[in-house]
Amino acid sequence: MAAANPAVVASLTALLRSSWAETYPRRPWGLTVVSDGVTATTTLANGTSRAWPQTRVTLAVPAGWTATPTGAATAPSLAPGARLTTTWKITAPAPGSGPAALTVRAGAGVFRFTEAHPFTPLPAPPTRDGHLSDLPWVSATNGWGPVEIDRSNGRKEGGDGTPIAFGGVTHAKGLGVHAPSEVVYHLGGRAARFTALVGIDDFSTNQSAAGATRALVRGDGRILLTTPTLTGASGPTAIDLDVTGVRLLHLVVQDANSNSAFDHTSWARPHITLA
Protein backbone atom coordinates (compact mmCIF):
# COMPACT_ATOMS: atom_id res chain seq x y z
CA MET A 1 0.00 0.00 0.00
CA ALA A 2 2.80 2.44 0.87
CA ALA A 3 4.67 1.75 -2.35
CA ALA A 4 1.51 2.33 -4.35
CA ASN A 5 0.66 5.60 -2.61
CA PRO A 6 3.90 7.58 -2.04
CA ALA A 7 2.09 10.92 -1.90
CA VAL A 8 -0.21 9.68 0.89
CA VAL A 9 2.80 8.29 2.78
CA ALA A 10 4.61 11.64 2.47
CA SER A 11 1.54 13.55 3.65
CA LEU A 12 0.94 11.28 6.65
CA THR A 13 4.63 11.36 7.59
CA ALA A 14 4.69 15.16 7.47
CA LEU A 15 1.55 15.30 9.60
CA LEU A 16 3.09 12.91 12.13
CA ARG A 17 6.30 14.92 12.37
CA SER A 18 4.47 18.24 12.73
CA SER A 19 2.61 16.93 15.78
CA TRP A 20 5.68 15.38 17.44
CA ALA A 21 6.82 16.82 20.79
CA GLU A 22 10.33 16.28 22.10
CA THR A 23 9.29 16.78 25.70
CA TYR A 24 6.07 16.48 27.63
CA PRO A 25 6.28 18.81 30.63
CA ARG A 26 4.31 17.63 33.61
CA ARG A 27 2.26 20.01 35.68
CA PRO A 28 4.07 20.73 38.98
CA TRP A 29 2.66 18.73 41.84
CA GLY A 30 3.25 18.60 45.59
CA LEU A 31 5.88 20.12 47.86
CA THR A 32 9.47 21.09 47.00
CA VAL A 33 12.20 22.84 49.01
CA VAL A 34 15.39 24.61 47.89
CA SER A 35 17.88 26.60 49.97
CA ASP A 36 20.91 28.84 49.46
CA GLY A 37 22.54 28.92 52.89
CA VAL A 38 20.57 31.98 54.01
CA THR A 39 16.99 31.23 53.01
CA ALA A 40 14.82 28.24 52.22
CA THR A 41 12.09 28.48 49.60
CA THR A 42 9.10 26.16 49.77
CA THR A 43 6.70 25.64 46.89
CA LEU A 44 3.39 23.82 47.10
CA ALA A 45 1.96 23.16 43.64
CA ASN A 46 -1.60 22.06 42.87
CA GLY A 47 -1.27 19.64 39.98
CA THR A 48 -4.87 18.48 40.15
CA SER A 49 -7.98 19.73 38.37
CA ARG A 50 -9.66 20.92 41.57
CA ALA A 51 -8.97 23.80 43.93
CA TRP A 52 -7.27 22.98 47.25
CA PRO A 53 -8.96 24.72 50.20
CA GLN A 54 -7.23 26.02 53.33
CA THR A 55 -3.65 25.63 52.11
CA ARG A 56 -0.92 25.98 54.74
CA VAL A 57 2.85 25.43 54.80
CA THR A 58 4.96 25.23 57.97
CA LEU A 59 8.71 24.91 58.43
CA ALA A 60 10.25 23.42 61.59
CA VAL A 61 13.90 23.96 62.60
CA PRO A 62 16.05 22.56 65.44
CA ALA A 63 16.16 24.21 68.86
CA GLY A 64 18.05 27.50 68.78
CA TRP A 65 17.36 28.10 65.08
CA THR A 66 14.65 30.38 63.69
CA ALA A 67 12.69 30.32 60.43
CA THR A 68 10.78 33.47 59.52
CA PRO A 69 8.54 33.57 56.43
CA THR A 70 9.04 36.67 54.28
CA GLY A 71 5.75 36.14 52.47
CA ALA A 72 2.44 34.37 52.80
CA ALA A 73 2.58 30.74 53.96
CA THR A 74 -1.19 30.20 53.81
CA ALA A 75 -3.91 30.63 51.21
CA PRO A 76 -7.69 30.23 51.55
CA SER A 77 -7.68 28.33 48.25
CA LEU A 78 -5.07 27.13 45.75
CA ALA A 79 -6.46 26.96 42.21
CA PRO A 80 -5.65 24.12 39.79
CA GLY A 81 -2.15 24.69 38.40
CA ALA A 82 -1.39 27.38 40.98
CA ARG A 83 1.53 27.44 43.42
CA LEU A 84 2.08 28.79 46.92
CA THR A 85 5.75 29.84 47.15
CA THR A 86 7.21 31.07 50.43
CA THR A 87 10.76 32.20 51.20
CA TRP A 88 11.91 31.67 54.79
CA LYS A 89 14.87 33.44 56.38
CA ILE A 90 16.84 30.85 58.36
CA THR A 91 18.95 32.03 61.30
CA ALA A 92 21.53 29.78 62.95
CA PRO A 93 22.35 30.04 66.67
CA ALA A 94 25.87 31.31 65.84
CA PRO A 95 28.11 31.87 62.80
CA GLY A 96 29.62 28.62 61.64
CA SER A 97 26.85 26.47 63.06
CA GLY A 98 26.70 23.07 61.43
CA PRO A 99 24.03 21.71 59.10
CA ALA A 100 20.43 21.61 60.25
CA ALA A 101 17.54 19.38 59.28
CA LEU A 102 14.50 21.34 58.16
CA THR A 103 11.08 19.71 58.21
CA VAL A 104 8.49 21.22 55.91
CA ARG A 105 4.84 20.24 56.15
CA ALA A 106 1.95 21.32 53.99
CA GLY A 107 -1.77 20.71 54.17
CA ALA A 108 -4.36 21.43 51.53
CA GLY A 109 -7.82 19.92 51.86
CA VAL A 110 -7.41 16.15 51.97
CA PHE A 111 -3.75 16.32 50.91
CA ARG A 112 -0.79 16.22 53.33
CA PHE A 113 2.87 16.60 52.37
CA THR A 114 6.11 16.32 54.37
CA GLU A 115 9.61 17.08 53.12
CA ALA A 116 12.90 16.75 55.04
CA HIS A 117 15.60 19.10 53.77
CA PRO A 118 19.23 19.49 54.89
CA PHE A 119 20.29 23.10 55.37
CA THR A 120 23.90 24.25 55.64
CA PRO A 121 24.27 27.91 56.63
CA LEU A 122 26.75 30.09 54.79
CA PRO A 123 30.02 30.98 56.50
CA ALA A 124 30.03 34.39 58.14
CA PRO A 125 30.93 37.19 55.67
CA PRO A 126 34.34 38.85 56.01
CA THR A 127 34.80 41.56 58.60
CA ARG A 128 38.04 43.05 57.27
CA ASP A 129 40.13 43.30 54.12
CA GLY A 130 42.06 40.14 53.30
CA HIS A 131 42.83 37.23 51.01
CA LEU A 132 40.13 34.76 50.04
CA SER A 133 42.49 31.88 50.81
CA ASP A 134 42.22 32.86 54.49
CA LEU A 135 38.40 32.59 54.42
CA PRO A 136 36.20 29.47 54.48
CA TRP A 137 34.53 28.83 51.16
CA VAL A 138 30.88 27.97 50.61
CA SER A 139 31.76 25.20 48.16
CA ALA A 140 34.70 24.05 46.05
CA THR A 141 34.65 21.71 43.06
CA ASN A 142 37.75 20.78 41.13
CA GLY A 143 38.65 18.77 38.06
CA TRP A 144 41.62 17.00 39.64
CA GLY A 145 42.30 16.55 43.33
CA PRO A 146 41.25 19.10 45.95
CA VAL A 147 41.44 22.87 45.69
CA GLU A 148 44.76 23.88 47.27
CA ILE A 149 45.11 26.80 49.68
CA ASP A 150 48.22 28.97 49.18
CA ARG A 151 49.75 26.30 46.90
CA SER A 152 49.44 25.26 43.28
CA ASN A 153 46.97 22.44 42.67
CA GLY A 154 49.55 19.69 42.95
CA ARG A 155 49.26 16.13 41.83
CA LYS A 156 46.41 14.60 43.79
CA GLU A 157 46.40 15.01 47.56
CA GLY A 158 45.72 18.14 49.57
CA GLY A 159 48.88 20.06 50.46
CA ASP A 160 51.12 18.50 47.79
CA GLY A 161 51.19 21.54 45.54
CA THR A 162 54.27 23.61 44.81
CA PRO A 163 54.36 27.34 45.64
CA ILE A 164 52.12 29.40 43.37
CA ALA A 165 54.33 30.90 40.67
CA PHE A 166 54.08 32.52 37.24
CA GLY A 167 57.30 32.75 35.24
CA GLY A 168 59.35 32.07 38.33
CA VAL A 169 57.68 34.80 40.42
CA THR A 170 56.13 33.22 43.49
CA HIS A 171 53.07 34.33 45.44
CA ALA A 172 52.48 33.34 49.05
CA LYS A 173 48.68 33.63 48.98
CA GLY A 174 46.16 32.11 46.63
CA LEU A 175 44.20 29.10 45.40
CA GLY A 176 45.46 26.28 43.19
CA VAL A 177 42.86 24.58 41.01
CA HIS A 178 42.50 22.40 37.93
CA ALA A 179 39.89 22.99 35.24
CA PRO A 180 36.99 22.57 35.47
CA SER A 181 36.82 24.28 38.83
CA GLU A 182 34.50 26.54 40.81
CA VAL A 183 35.11 28.01 44.26
CA VAL A 184 32.37 30.06 45.93
CA TYR A 185 32.81 32.61 48.73
CA HIS A 186 30.22 34.41 50.83
CA LEU A 187 30.91 38.15 50.76
CA GLY A 188 27.51 39.10 52.13
CA GLY A 189 27.43 42.34 50.14
CA ARG A 190 30.24 43.78 52.28
CA ALA A 191 33.09 43.93 49.76
CA ALA A 192 33.86 46.72 47.30
CA ARG A 193 36.77 45.37 45.22
CA PHE A 194 38.22 42.02 44.22
CA THR A 195 41.76 41.79 42.87
CA ALA A 196 43.85 38.79 41.79
CA LEU A 197 46.26 37.33 39.25
CA VAL A 198 44.93 34.24 37.48
CA GLY A 199 46.72 32.03 35.02
CA ILE A 200 48.30 28.68 34.15
CA ASP A 201 50.89 28.28 36.90
CA ASP A 202 54.47 27.09 36.65
CA PHE A 203 53.48 23.66 37.98
CA SER A 204 51.77 22.97 34.62
CA THR A 205 53.97 25.13 32.39
CA ASN A 206 57.13 23.32 33.49
CA GLN A 207 55.58 20.02 32.40
CA SER A 208 53.99 21.02 29.09
CA ALA A 209 52.88 23.99 27.01
CA ALA A 210 49.57 22.24 26.24
CA GLY A 211 47.57 23.77 29.11
CA ALA A 212 44.88 26.29 28.16
CA THR A 213 42.11 27.60 30.41
CA ARG A 214 39.70 30.49 30.75
CA ALA A 215 38.75 32.13 34.05
CA LEU A 216 35.39 33.65 34.92
CA VAL A 217 34.29 35.68 37.92
CA ARG A 218 30.58 35.65 38.71
CA GLY A 219 28.70 37.63 41.32
CA ASP A 220 25.35 36.21 42.41
CA GLY A 221 25.10 34.36 39.09
CA ARG A 222 26.01 37.39 36.95
CA ILE A 223 29.24 37.22 34.93
CA LEU A 224 31.54 40.05 36.02
CA LEU A 225 34.60 39.07 34.00
CA THR A 226 35.82 36.50 31.48
CA THR A 227 39.54 36.37 30.77
CA PRO A 228 41.18 35.68 27.40
CA THR A 229 42.56 32.17 26.98
CA LEU A 230 45.24 31.55 29.59
CA THR A 231 48.39 29.61 28.72
CA GLY A 232 51.84 29.31 30.18
CA ALA A 233 53.16 31.52 27.39
CA SER A 234 50.51 34.21 27.87
CA GLY A 235 51.21 34.59 31.57
CA PRO A 236 48.57 35.53 34.13
CA THR A 237 45.77 38.05 33.75
CA ALA A 238 45.38 40.80 36.36
CA ILE A 239 41.88 41.23 37.80
CA ASP A 240 40.51 44.35 39.47
CA LEU A 241 36.71 44.24 39.83
CA ASP A 242 34.00 46.26 41.51
CA VAL A 243 32.05 43.72 43.60
CA THR A 244 29.88 46.16 45.52
CA GLY A 245 26.74 44.44 46.77
CA VAL A 246 27.83 40.95 45.67
CA ARG A 247 26.67 38.29 48.10
CA LEU A 248 28.19 35.14 46.55
CA LEU A 249 31.44 35.39 44.57
CA HIS A 250 32.19 32.51 42.17
CA LEU A 251 35.73 31.89 40.90
CA VAL A 252 35.44 29.63 37.84
CA VAL A 253 38.10 28.03 35.65
CA GLN A 254 37.16 26.28 32.40
CA ASP A 255 39.16 24.23 29.92
CA ALA A 256 39.81 26.29 26.77
CA ASN A 257 41.15 23.79 24.24
CA SER A 258 39.17 20.55 24.72
CA ASN A 259 42.16 19.03 26.47
CA SER A 260 42.12 19.17 30.25
CA ALA A 261 45.71 17.96 30.63
CA PHE A 262 48.12 20.46 32.20
CA ASP A 263 45.27 22.81 33.11
CA HIS A 264 46.54 23.62 36.61
CA THR A 265 45.56 27.24 37.21
CA SER A 266 46.16 29.51 40.18
CA TRP A 267 44.34 32.50 41.60
CA ALA A 268 47.31 34.38 43.08
CA ARG A 269 46.74 37.04 45.75
CA PRO A 270 42.91 36.86 45.56
CA HIS A 271 42.14 39.86 47.76
CA ILE A 272 38.94 41.62 48.78
CA THR A 273 38.60 45.16 50.05
CA LEU A 274 35.53 45.89 52.14
CA ALA A 275 33.18 48.72 51.30
Side-chain angles (χ1 to χ4, degrees):
M1 291 290 291
N5 298 274
V8 176
V9 171
S11 175
L12 291 175
T13 302
L15 182 63
L16 178 65
R17 288 176 176 169
S18 70
S19 64
W20 183 263
E22 293 294 335
T23 60
Y24 294 87
R26 301 180 68 180
R27 176 180 287 183
W29 159 269
L31 179 65
T32 57
V33 187
V34 296
S35 61
D36 61 5
V38 175
T39 63
T41 299
T42 60
T43 300
L44 181 63
N46 181 356
T48 72
S49 59
R50 296 183 179 182
W52 289 355
Q54 301 301 316
T55 304
R56 178 180 179 85
V57 178
T58 62
L59 191 154
V61 294
W65 294 66
T66 61
T68 305
T70 61
T74 63
S77 180
L78 196 63
R83 307 181 191 185
L84 174 63
T85 298
T86 310
T87 297
W88 309 72
K89 183 178 180 180
I90 310 297
T91 304
S97 296
L102 309 181
T103 302
V104 184
R105 293 185 173 86
V110 299
F111 295 102
R112 297 291 182 270
F113 305 91
T114 300
E115 182 77 20
H117 182 77
F119 180 88
T120 301
L122 293 177
T127 57
R128 61 178 183 272
D129 299 354
H131 291 96
L132 290 182
S133 60
D134 293 329
L135 299 176
W137 54 55
V138 175
S139 63
T141 58
N142 208 40
W144 170 256
V147 173
E148 296 275 13
I149 297 176
D150 298 335
R151 310 286 286 181
S152 70
N153 183 244
R155 292 173 175 83
K156 185 177 180 182
E157 305 300 330
D160 70 349
T162 58
I164 293 172
F166 302 118
V169 179
T170 61
H171 303 272
K173 306 299 295 182
L175 302 168
V177 301
H178 187 291
S181 174
E182 182 169 0
V183 189
V184 184
Y185 285 93
H186 178 216
L187 303 185
R190 296 184 179 181
R193 301 212 70 77
F194 168 65
T195 59
L197 283 174
V198 62
I200 297 282
D201 51 46
D202 287 356
F203 181 82
S204 269
T205 303
N206 292 338
Q207 299 175 72
S208 171
T213 61
R214 185 177 298 106
L216 289 80
V217 180
R218 296 203 310 266
D220 298 330
R222 179 171 57 94
I223 295 178
L224 305 179
L225 173 122
T226 302
T227 69
T229 297
L230 305 169
T231 65
S234 73
T237 293
I239 295 174
D240 187 349
L241 286 176
D242 183 350
V243 292
T244 303
V246 170
R247 190 169 67 90
L248 293 177
L249 186 72
H250 299 242
L251 307 183
V252 181
V253 175
Q254 301 172 340
D255 171 59
N257 64 353
S258 300
N259 176 12
S260 63
F262 308 107
D263 277 356
H264 294 84
T265 303
S266 287
W267 298 87
R269 306 197 313 268
H271 188 272
I272 55 166
T273 304
L274 298 194

